[in-house]
C-alpha cells in the first residue's frame, strides 16, 4: 500500500511539473506561433505579393523550436507551401528566410505537379487516389478485392503503376526506388478517412497527419510492385495491414498453433513470431504465409531468438491451413537472420 501511494505521489508530482513547465513556456512565448506567423506573412507579402495565403501554423517545439507556417498558392490549388521559421533566431529552416521561402514555394509546386501525375495515372485506369502516405509516398486507392477478383485487381492496379512510373519522369521520386507500394482500402474505410479541411490544397488534403491512423483503424491490403528500367511490374505481392490489436492477436494465434505442433517432436521447444511480412497467397485474400521462428530448446539464459523457422500458411485469424514446413539453421553466427524468400 505504501509503495502504491509513493508511486501515485510521484506520478502526480511529475504531471504537475510538466504542466507548470508548459505554462511557463507558453507565458514566455516559446510555444506561441504568433510572432513566427507575423514574420512569415510579411515575408510572403514582400517577396511573393498576392501569391501566398496563410493556412495555419504549428509549433515545432520541442523538436527544434520555432514554427511551421503553411500557405496555399493562388495560382495552384494543389500546392501547399511549408516554411519552418524561428523569429527569435531570425532564420528559416536554418538559412536566410527569403531563400527558404523561395525554396519552399518551388518545392510546393513540384510536389503538386507530382501529385497530379499520380492521380491522373490511377484515375485513367479506373482507381481513385484517396490519400498518400506522408512518410512513404505510397498511394491509397479504393478497391475491395475478393478471392475471385484479387488477381485481376492486383494486375489492374499494377497497370496504374506502369502508367505512373514513366509519367513521373527520370528525376521523379519513383526513379530513385526499386519499387513502390499501393494500399487498397475498402469504400467504407475510405469514407471514414481523415481528409483535413475542405479549404486546404489538394496535396495537403491527401496527406493530413492523421491519415495513416484513420485508415489504419481497419485492416486493408498493401501491394508491392517492383520497378526496374523505368518500368513497373504488374504482378505485385499483397499483404494484410492490421491495426495493432489485431496484429497482436494474429501473432498469438499462429505462434500457439505452431508451438503445439512442434512439441510432439521437440518437447522443450520455444517459439517466436517473425515480425517480417506475411504475404497473401496468390489468388487469395484469406490465406497468408509467413515465418514462425523456433529453438529446439532455450539457451542457458532461457532465451530463444530463433535458430530455425517454420513456414506456415494461415487463415486471416492465424489458424494454420495445410502442412507447415521447417527450414533449419536460419540464423548466422553473428545473429543475423537468413530466411529464404517466401
Amino acid at each position: 500500500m505504501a509503495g502504491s501511494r509513493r508511486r501515485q505521489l510521484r506520478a502526480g508530482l511529475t504531471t504537475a511539473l510538466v504542466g507548470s513547465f508548459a505554462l511557463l513556456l507558453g507565458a514566455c512565448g516559446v510555444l506561441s506561433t504568433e510572432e513566427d506567423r507575423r514574420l512569415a506573412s510579411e515575408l510572403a507579402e514582400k517577396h511573393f505579393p498576392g501569391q501566398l495565403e496563410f493556412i495555419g501554423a504549428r509549433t515545432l517545439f520541442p523538436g527544434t523550436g520555432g514554427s511551421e507556417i503553411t500557405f496555399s498558392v493562388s495560382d495552384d490549388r494543389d500546392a501547399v507551401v511549408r516554411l519552418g521559421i524561428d523569429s527569435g533566431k531570425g532564420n528559416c529552416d536554418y538559412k536566410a528566410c527569403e531563400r527558404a521561402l523561395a525554396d519552399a514555394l518551388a518545392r510546393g509546386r513540384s510536389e503538386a505537379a507530382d501529385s497530379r501525375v499520380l492521380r491522373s495515372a490511377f484515375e485513367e485506369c479506373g482507381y481513385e487516389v484517396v490519400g498518400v502516405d506522408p512518410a512513404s509516398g505510397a498511394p491509397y486507392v479504393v478497391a475491395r478485392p475478393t478471392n475471385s477478383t484479387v488477381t485481376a485487381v492486383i494486375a489492374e492496379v499494377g497497370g496504374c503503376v506502369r502508367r505512373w512510373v514513366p509519367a513521373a519522369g527520370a528525376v521523379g521520386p519513383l526513379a530513385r526506388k526499386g519499387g513502390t507500394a499501393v494500399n487498397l482500402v475498402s469504400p467504407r474505410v475510405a469514407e471514414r478517412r481523415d481528409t483535413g479541411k475542405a479549404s486546404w490544397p489538394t496535396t495537403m488534403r491527401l496527406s493530413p497527419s492523421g491519415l495513416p491512423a484513420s485508415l489504419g483503424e481497419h485492416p486493408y491490403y498493401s501491394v508491392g510492385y517492383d520497378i526496374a528500367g523505368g518500368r513497373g511490374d504488374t504482378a505485385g505481392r499483397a499483404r494484410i495491414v492490421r491495426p495493432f490489436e489485431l496484429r497482436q492477436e494474429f501473432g498469438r494465434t499462429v505462434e500457439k498453433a505452431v508451438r503445439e505442433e512442434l512439441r510432439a517432436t521437440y518437447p522443450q521447444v520455444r517459439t517466436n513470431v517473425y515480425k517480417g511480412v506475411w504475404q497473401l497467397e496468390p489468388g487469395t485474400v484469406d490465406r497468408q504465409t509467413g515465418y514462425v521462428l523456433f529453438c529446439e530448446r532455450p539457451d542457458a539464459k532461457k532465451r530463444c531468438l530463433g535458430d530455425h523457422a517454420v513456414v506456415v500458411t494461415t487463415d486471416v485469424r492465424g489458424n494454420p491451413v495445410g502442412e507447415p514446413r521447417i527450414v533449419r539453421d536460419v540464423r548466422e553466427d553473428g545473429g543475423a537472420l537468413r530466411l529464404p524468400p517466401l
Side-chain angles (χ1 to χ4, degrees):
M1 292 291 290
S4 176
R5 284 197 296 271
R6 283 195 295 270
R7 286 193 295 272
Q8 290 174 358
L9 285 171
R10 283 198 297 268
L13 180 59
T14 301
T15 301
L17 288 172
V18 170
S20 299
F21 185 50
L23 287 172
L24 178 61
L25 290 172
C28 295
V30 174
L31 297 181
S32 172
T33 62
E34 184 176 348
E35 282 301 308
D36 295 332
R37 173 183 173 177
R38 182 188 61 78
L39 178 56
S41 297
E42 290 176 357
L43 287 165
E45 190 55 35
K46 178 179 179 181
H47 299 290
F48 302 99
Q51 295 185 50
L52 303 179
E53 182 177 347
F54 173 80
I55 298 176
R58 67 180 183 93
T59 180
L60 296 177
F61 177 86
T64 59
S67 309
E68 181 186 76
I69 311 298
T70 53
F71 297 97
S72 60
V73 181
S74 60
D75 62 353
D76 190 338
R77 62 186 179 83
D78 296 327
V80 59
V81 175
R82 295 181 174 87
L83 177 69
I85 184 168
D86 191 333
S87 56
K89 295 180 180 178
N91 65 43
C92 298
D93 294 329
Y94 302 102
K95 53 188 169 185
C97 284
E98 179 181 353
R99 177 187 164 197
L101 183 57
D103 290 347
L105 176 56
R107 185 167 57 251
R109 290 189 184 279
S110 176
E111 289 172 353
D114 290 341
S115 175
R116 286 189 286 271
V117 167
L118 165 65
R119 299 194 323 266
S120 176
F122 279 82
E123 287 167 4
E124 286 174 5
C125 64
Y127 286 89
E128 178 190 4
V129 175
V130 296
V132 177
D133 189 291
S136 68
Y140 294 87
V141 303
V142 179
R144 186 164 47 191
T146 64
N147 282 342
S148 61
T149 65
V150 63
T151 301
V153 168
I154 288 176
E156 289 169 0
V157 173
C160 302
V161 173
R162 184 163 285 184
R163 287 173 179 263
W164 179 26
V165 172
V171 296
L174 292 178
R176 299 188 295 271
K177 301 178 180 179
T180 188
V182 180
N183 302 310
L184 314 181
V185 298
S186 70
R188 185 178 180 184
V189 172
E191 288 172 1
R192 297 178 178 179
R193 74 191 186 279
D194 179 8
T195 59
K197 296 181 180 179
S199 60
W200 286 357
T202 308
T203 53
M204 196 171 178
R205 285 189 288 108
L206 285 175
S207 299
S209 59
L211 178 71
S214 65
L215 289 173
E217 290 178 356
H218 304 277
Y220 61 87
Y221 304 103
S222 181
V223 187
Y225 296 93
D226 293 331
I227 297 173
R231 187 175 177 84
D233 177 21
T234 60
R237 290 300 305 269
R239 64 188 178 94
I240 301 176
V241 180
R242 297 179 175 85
F244 176 78
E245 293 81 6
L246 292 181
R247 192 163 64 247
Q248 294 295 97
E249 184 179 343
F250 171 86
R252 287 191 296 267
T253 300
V254 67
E255 183 179 3
K256 179 181 178 182
V258 170
R259 186 167 60 247
E260 290 177 352
E261 177 78 17
L262 289 171
R263 271 189 180 143
T265 306
Y266 310 108
Q268 300 182 59
V269 70
R270 292 290 180 93
T271 58
N272 90 74
V273 177
Y274 177 58
K275 304 302 182 184
V277 173
W278 279 68
Q279 294 181 331
L280 285 173
E281 283 293 291
T284 75
V285 294
D286 58 5
R287 295 289 184 269
Q288 55 201 322
T289 299
Y291 287 104
V292 174
L293 303 180
F294 76 94
C295 307
E296 295 179 9
R297 62 185 60 82
D299 63 17
K301 296 182 179 180
K302 297 185 178 181
R303 299 176 307 177
C304 171
L305 295 177
D307 303 317
H308 316 295
V310 176
V311 182
V312 57
T313 299
T314 75
D315 62 17
V316 293
R317 292 182 175 84
N319 300 301
V321 294
E323 291 297 319
R325 175 170 57 89
I326 292 177
V327 181
R328 299 190 64 83
D329 302 319
V330 297
R331 194 174 294 279
E332 295 177 353
D333 292 339
L337 279 174
R338 254 185 325 112
L339 291 168
L342 293 171

